[in-house]
């Protein structure tokens, strides 16, 4: 197990609290000596911090571990009712909300359609949805520690941010963090949907064992989440991974950004919905797309072939640029359609990923489905305020229910 190392307790006690809480989250129930060993903190420092966390309701005592001679050590675990975070995904046509406790268990989830996506419309819906989700919980209801907000990128890019059906209107100069923070009176973390989706897939899906991977994310448009050494790579302005606006066809289809031949005009949910609309199939939602794919609708099958042809070279490019362990395809597309898209992209072009000793697949489909960005959003406040870093100590693997999120590993 690689250790999460604490800093000097006198200089950075808040950091050490996060380290201790993270070790207990992964290993618990666990005693002070074990916490001290993995956190690289003195036993006295750990004892003081643990008592504080118990007093704050974040940890609970679970009894004593009987082993060997002498008084058995007291064991500590994360208090599932000690706090929770909310993850809110603001998409062009819906808002998804999740509540996740600090033990990693999904406590409530909701999704509601919206006709307008400007701040004046969205903010009251966020407040209402979080309250409705909290109302679903049995007493005691954990305190809300923070809210992660995700929305489509790019952020503050002239000509890209406030145009087209895949973006949100009225958010260009709107301070979402400050406004939502004032409304909810909790810390707010903002992220683009593809990066948050990569966090969600890392914590809850196909990338649990991966430190370096790229997630090609199908929202309304097309985004890319990049994880390097277990950390999300955001770039200078949070816009890293804007793969949807890579030019793939000179003089090709007109994109909402004003360019011709952008990748997302050929390989996105919106491009597929546009083609179906042209054939008289309007307002396609997830269930409709599942059915159309199952029925082998010719437009869906044609879209898979065309999208695969444009995506395969991008996969090889990403492999050459980032040398990831794997590339994941995920997002709002049904699982069966994603599987067929992955299959249609083979054989993949030559890249550095074609190692002689490679045993794992270069390209895999995600497992968290439509809620992956909201799952990542719910984890963001914990990662920012309670966890030293995403790639923290690798705890001994334990069997966990499917509804739990491992916050590291």
């Amino acid at each position: 197990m690689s250790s999460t190392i604490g800093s000097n307790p006198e200089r950075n006690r808040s950091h050490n609290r996060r380290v201790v809480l993270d070790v207990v989250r992964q290993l618990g129930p666990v005693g002070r000596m074990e916490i001290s060993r993995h956190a690289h903190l003195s036993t006295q420092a750990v004892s003081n911090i643990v008592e504080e966390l118990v007093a704050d309701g974040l940890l609970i005592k679970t009894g004593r571990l009987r082993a060997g001679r002498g008084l058995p050590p007291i064991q500590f675990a994360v208090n599932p009712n000690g706090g929770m975070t909310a993850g809110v995904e603001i998409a062009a046509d819906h808002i998804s909300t999740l509540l996740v406790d600090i033990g990693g268990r999904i406590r409530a989830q909701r999704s509601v359609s919206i006709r307008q996506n400007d701040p004046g419309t969205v903010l009251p819906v966020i407040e209402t949805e979080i309250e409705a989700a909290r109302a679903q919980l049995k007493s005691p209801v954990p305190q809300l520690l923070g809210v992660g907000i995700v929305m489509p990128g790019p952020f503050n890019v002239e000509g890209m941010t406030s145009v087209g059906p895949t973006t949100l209107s009225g958010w260009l100069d709107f301070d979402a963090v400050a406004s939502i923070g004032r409304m909810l009176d909790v810390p707010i973390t903002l992220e683009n949907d593809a990066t948050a989706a990569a966090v969600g897939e890392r914590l809850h899906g196909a990338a649990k064992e991966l430190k370096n991977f790229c997630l090609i994310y199908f929202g309304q448009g097309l985004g890319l989440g990049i994880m390097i050494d277990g950390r999300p790579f955001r770039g200078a302005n949070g816009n890293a991974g804007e793969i949807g606006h890579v030019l793939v066809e000179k003089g090709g289809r007109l994109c909402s950004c004003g360019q011709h031949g952008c990748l997302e005009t050929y390989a996105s949910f919106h491009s597929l919905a546009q083609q179906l609309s042209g054939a008289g199939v309007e307002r396609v939602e997830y269930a409709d797309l599942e059915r159309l794919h199952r029925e082998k609708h010719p437009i869906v099958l044609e879209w898979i072939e065309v999208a695969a042809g444009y995506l395969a070279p991008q996969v090889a490019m990403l492999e050459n640029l980032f040398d990831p362990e794997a590339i994941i395809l995920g997002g709002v597309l049904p699982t069966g359609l994603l599987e067929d898209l992955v299959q249609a992209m083979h054989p993949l072009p030559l890249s550095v990923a074609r190692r002689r000793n490679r045993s794992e697949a270069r390209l895999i489909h995600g497992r968290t489905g439509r809620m992956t960005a909201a799952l990542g959003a719910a984890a963001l406040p914990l990662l920012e305020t309670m966890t030293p870093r995403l790639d923290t100590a690798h705890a001994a693997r334990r069997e966990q229910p499917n509804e739990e999120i491992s916050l590291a590993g």
Side-chain angles (χ1 to χ4, degrees):
M1 171 176 171
S2 60
S3 299
T4 304
I5 301 176
S7 62
N8 185 294
E10 282 73 32
R11 289 188 308 212
N12 201 339
R13 192 171 191 81
S14 63
H15 173 78
N16 290 338
R17 279 170 57 98
R18 294 196 297 271
V19 171
V20 168
L21 187 60
D22 197 47
V23 170
V24 177
R25 182 189 294 119
Q26 295 174 73
L27 298 180
V30 62
R32 292 183 181 92
M33 292 289 289
E34 196 73 358
I35 298 170
S36 175
R37 186 166 69 86
H38 290 295
H40 287 216
L41 291 167
S42 71
T43 305
Q44 184 58 54
V46 166
S47 293
N48 293 339
I49 292 170
V50 164
E51 291 305 318
E52 288 180 7
L53 293 171
V54 169
D56 291 344
L58 298 177
L59 295 184
I60 54 174
K61 297 178 181 179
T62 61
R64 294 182 181 272
L65 178 67
R66 299 203 171 278
R69 297 179 178 179
L71 185 65
I74 297 174
Q75 302 291 287
F76 297 91
V78 169
N79 179 8
N81 292 317
M84 64 182 178
T85 58
V88 178
E89 179 191 13
I90 306 170
D93 60 352
H94 71 274
I95 294 175
S96 296
T97 305
L98 281 173
L99 296 180
V100 179
D101 66 34
I102 59 174
R105 187 162 60 99
I106 298 172
R107 302 291 286 266
Q109 66 182 70
R110 298 174 58 84
S111 187
V112 61
S113 297
I114 52 175
R115 292 189 177 277
Q116 294 177 280
N117 54 37
D118 59 284
T121 300
V122 166
L123 262 63
V125 175
I126 291 174
E127 185 173 30
T128 299
E129 285 297 288
I130 290 178
E131 285 306 311
R134 294 179 74 175
Q136 295 176 207
L137 305 183
K138 296 179 180 179
S139 184
V141 177
Q143 62 176 319
L144 188 62
L145 301 174
V147 176
I149 304 288
V150 298
M151 57 180 66
F155 296 144
N156 299 318
V157 177
E158 186 175 351
M160 281 189 185
T161 302
S162 56
V163 296
T166 67
T167 54
L168 307 178
S169 57
W171 294 80
L172 180 57
D173 297 311
F174 183 77
D175 191 338
V177 171
S179 298
I180 298 172
R182 283 193 300 269
M183 179 179 72
L184 299 178
D185 194 28
V186 293
I188 304 297
T189 307
L190 179 67
E191 189 59 84
N192 76 60
D193 54 359
T195 298
V199 172
E201 202 67 56
R202 159 86 163 138
L203 303 180
H204 200 56
K208 281 185 177 181
E209 305 296 331
L210 305 180
K211 286 186 180 181
N212 295 277
F213 69 92
C214 297
L215 170 70
I216 297 175
Y217 179 69
F218 293 88
Q220 285 286 327
L222 193 70
L224 180 72
I226 305 166
M227 297 291 284
I228 297 177
D229 291 334
R231 303 184 186 189
F233 178 74
R234 298 178 171 92
N237 300 291
N239 290 321
E242 196 55 50
I243 195 173
H245 294 288
V246 169
L247 297 180
V248 296
E249 188 70 51
K250 186 176 181 179
R253 296 175 184 172
L254 177 64
C255 181
S256 59
C257 73
Q259 299 186 108
H260 286 265
C262 287
L263 179 60
E264 73 173 39
T265 65
Y266 299 93
S268 66
F269 176 86
H270 177 66
S271 68
L272 175 53
Q274 273 190 319
Q275 292 173 49
L276 288 168
S277 178
V281 184
E282 301 286 351
R283 299 186 65 84
V284 175
E285 297 187 359
Y286 188 87
D288 303 314
L289 198 50
E290 277 188 313
R291 176 180 53 80
L292 292 169
H293 175 253
R294 190 170 55 248
E295 294 172 354
K296 300 186 183 303
H297 193 286
I299 288 180
V300 175
L301 299 183
E302 180 186 3
W303 178 88
I304 289 173
E305 289 302 315
V306 171
Y310 285 106
L311 285 168
Q314 302 302 315
V315 167
M317 179 193 69
L318 293 173
E319 290 171 333
N320 286 334
L321 286 174
F322 297 107
D323 190 22
E325 294 165 84
I327 304 284
I328 300 173
L329 268 61
V332 302
L333 298 181
T335 300
L337 198 156
L338 277 175
E339 290 174 347
D340 283 359
L341 182 59
V342 168
Q343 190 61 39
M345 290 166 68
H346 287 89
L348 290 167
L350 178 65
S351 80
V352 298
R354 194 181 291 180
R355 302 185 307 272
R356 182 175 298 177
N357 61 344
R358 187 181 186 98
S359 58
E360 66 278 6
R362 289 168 61 183
L363 192 60
I364 56 181
H365 65 83
R367 297 177 192 159
T368 51
R370 291 175 290 170
M371 298 303 285
T372 181
L375 282 167
L380 292 173
L382 290 179
L383 299 179
E384 293 294 332
T385 64
M386 297 169 66
T387 305
R389 53 175 289 188
L390 183 59
D391 177 32
T392 52
H394 283 254
R397 292 286 167 189
R398 296 171 183 266
E399 291 297 323
Q400 295 184 356
N402 289 335
E403 71 272 15
E404 293 190 359
I405 304 173
S406 171
L407 288 175

